[in-house]
Amino acid sequence: MLKPLWGSLSAQERQQLLQVLAERYRDESSDAMLAEQAAEGLPYPHLRQTLQRIAERERQHAQWLGEKIRALGGTPPPSPTIPDQATWQELLAAYESEKADKVAYLENTLPDEELEALFHRIAQEEQQNVEELRQVLTRVDPYGLGA
């Protein structure tokens, strides 16, 4: 394992990195809660399982990001709040968000090869989420999920 280069960061660079990690952490936490909530409302077991897999991946991403935040001396932000019931529109928004997340992970220039590798891994899993969300969206009745 490579030694992190975080020790060579200036206070401003460290703060900027913490800000990026916190933003990604909040997004992953929100995506996990939304997928889990949408899964609860689905009457289709196979689609429910797909959303539960997505939620689990998103929780794992948040956990990894939280560990990096703590390693930098920060504290992960509180989980965001989401509506009480996921709707088809929110799933569609999550689909669009996952596409943007993949790009965001790949666009960041990071001061550490281990963190860079983590961002690339998450980007790959975000692509998997995009594909699975597309499958769910094409099979779910928008009005049955509270459009």
Side-chain angles (χ1 to χ4, degrees):
M1 181 172 6
L2 298 172
K3 182 176 179 166
L5 302 175
W6 301 334
S8 63
L9 296 177
S10 70
Q12 182 179 2
E13 291 169 326
R14 183 181 294 268
Q15 191 58 38
Q16 288 173 335
L17 182 55
L18 279 168
Q19 196 170 8
V20 167
L21 291 170
E23 179 181 317
R24 303 282 12 123
Y25 177 89
R26 276 189 298 275
D27 183 66
E28 296 296 332
S29 297
S30 175
D31 290 347
M33 291 186 303
L34 179 66
E36 191 167 67
Q37 188 180 77
E40 290 173 7
L42 280 179
Y44 314 106
H46 64 290
L47 297 179
R48 195 169 43 245
Q49 289 171 350
T50 299
L51 287 172
Q52 289 167 340
R53 273 195 313 273
I54 291 169
E56 182 55 37
R57 275 194 296 271
E58 298 291 41
R59 274 192 300 276
Q60 182 65 60
H61 297 167
Q63 181 181 339
W64 291 334
L65 293 164
E67 290 168 4
K68 296 300 181 186
I69 290 168
R70 285 187 283 283
L72 275 167
T75 302
S79 295
T81 58
I82 62 170
D84 288 338
Q85 183 178 3
T87 66
W88 189 85
Q89 297 289 28
E90 288 165 329
L91 275 181
L92 182 59
Y95 169 74
E96 294 299 329
S97 174
E98 289 297 298
K99 291 192 304 187
D101 290 348
K102 177 188 172 198
V103 172
Y105 279 110
L106 294 175
E107 285 182 337
N108 282 293
T109 303
L110 302 164
D112 175 78
E113 288 182 31
E114 186 179 314
L115 191 54
E116 187 88 28
L118 174 62
F119 270 39
H120 282 305
R121 179 178 181 181
I122 293 174
Q124 289 173 340
E125 292 183 6
E126 294 296 328
Q127 180 60 39
Q128 190 174 358
N129 290 347
V130 166
E131 292 166 13
E132 290 181 355
L133 276 170
R134 180 178 33 240
Q135 292 171 9
V136 170
L137 285 165
T138 59
R139 289 174 173 86
V140 169
D141 173 16
Y143 300 102
L145 191 59

